[in-house]
Amino acid sequence: MTQPQETISSAPDADGTLSFKETVRTRRSYRGFLPTCVPDAVLNEILQDAQNAPSNCNTQPWHTHIVRGAKLAELSMAMHADNDAGRHTPDFTFDMEEFVEPYLGRQKAQGKAYYEAMNVMRADADGRHRAAAKNLSFFGAPQIALLFMPFFGDNVRVGGDIGMYGQTFLLSLAARGLGGIPQTMLGFFAGTVRKVLDIPENHKMLFGISFGYPDEDAPGNRMRMDRVPVSESVTFHS
Ligand SMILES: Cc1cc2nc3c(=O)[nH]c(=O)nc-3n(C[C@H](O)[C@H](O)[C@H](O)COP(=O)(O)O)c2cc1C
């Protein structure tokens, strides 16, 4: 049994942002954006919101790289070239073969929803490759945020901090009627990103976020992912 995500529509608050409930329950991942850039004043507000994320011992280990303009085009070209050549330089492993149930089933449902939205048949390997490669064109977004972290300890707790930062960033976008998508796939090319953006070797990339004004008509935005009931995720003890 799964629960559909809620659809809530109402006017923004006086400061132009949605209420907390509207923001968290309508946030979703977008896979299609308009070419319009987010104005700097708005982007600065979003970055300030994300900066307020909690972190272990207030270490604030996030190092965020905003990429746009000619550099974004250069990065996209380099990632596509790597992808076509099967050249991956990730800082952290990500092996879907290691997924176990019930997570495996959820991952498969997510992949199926995306390829169906993109009108790609299961047997069409080339079509699937092309649809997945849209990640590397940032789904048309004219700006991205790449989340880097220092490498120390077992990295899991630092990674958790980056997740907190990323979600705050995404919710700030959603509150302003903007959209984004976190992308592990961008991290498959961490080595290349470091070269193109001249980022020190000891900063490792966890994931990126493509963001901007969602294109509601884009095929990639046709899908909606549901959630299992809270009772499947939460155990009460007393
Ligand atoms: C850390 C992280 C990495 C992700 N990486 C990708 C990615 O590389 N490509 C993609 O299309 N979606 C990616 N997603 C989006 C998930 O598929 C999406 O969050 C999930 O299906 C739930 O859908 P929703 O965000 O619309 O609620 C990622 C999400 C997270 C949190």
Side-chain angles (χ1 to χ4, degrees), residues 33-202:
F33 296 90
L34 300 172
T36 319
C37 281
V38 174
D40 280 353
V42 178
L43 180 54
N44 289 338
E45 284 293 303
I46 292 163
L47 290 168
Q48 189 59 59
D49 285 347
Q51 198 71 5
N52 282 340
S55 57
N56 279 280
C57 305
N58 201 27
T59 45
Q60 305 165 67
W62 38 78
H63 295 265
T64 305
H65 294 263
I66 303 290
V67 192
R68 43 195 181 177
K71 255 312 171 210
L72 189 66
E74 183 186 343
L75 192 59
S76 179
M77 267 178 61
M79 284 179 168
H80 275 292
D82 277 0
N83 193 43
D84 291 343
R87 232 177 2 245
H88 294 158
T89 50
D91 290 330
F92 302 99
T93 58
F94 185 78
D95 185 358
M96 288 198 275
E97 302 282 310
E98 289 178 356
F99 285 14
V100 295
E101 293 298 345
Y103 318 106
L104 178 64
R106 295 174 193 165
Q107 176 263 313
K108 283 185 174 158
Q110 192 273 322
K112 184 168 180 283
Y114 178 55
Y115 293 118
E116 274 176 12
M118 300 303 288
N119 253 327
V120 177
M121 299 293 146
R122 194 171 157 55
D124 179 2
D126 280 353
R128 286 163 77 94
H129 179 81
R130 274 197 306 276
K134 289 193 181 294
N135 272 281
L136 311 179
S137 298
F138 318 116
F139 300 107
Q143 64 264 300
I144 63 173
L146 300 175
L147 305 191
F148 280 76
M149 54 182 262
F151 198 73
F152 61 86
D154 68 3
N155 289 307
V156 172
R157 293 179 203 289
V158 183
D161 294 339
I162 305 302
M164 299 266 172
Y165 179 94
Q167 170 69 335
T168 310
F169 187 98
L170 290 167
L171 289 177
S172 181
L173 288 169
R176 293 163 207 283
L178 298 166
I181 177 162
Q183 290 168 274
T184 287
M185 189 164 170
L186 302 185
F188 294 173
F189 307 97
T192 297
V193 174
R194 252 191 304 276
K195 261 193 221 130
V196 173
L197 301 182
D198 199 16
I199 292 171
E201 192 58 40
N202 60 348

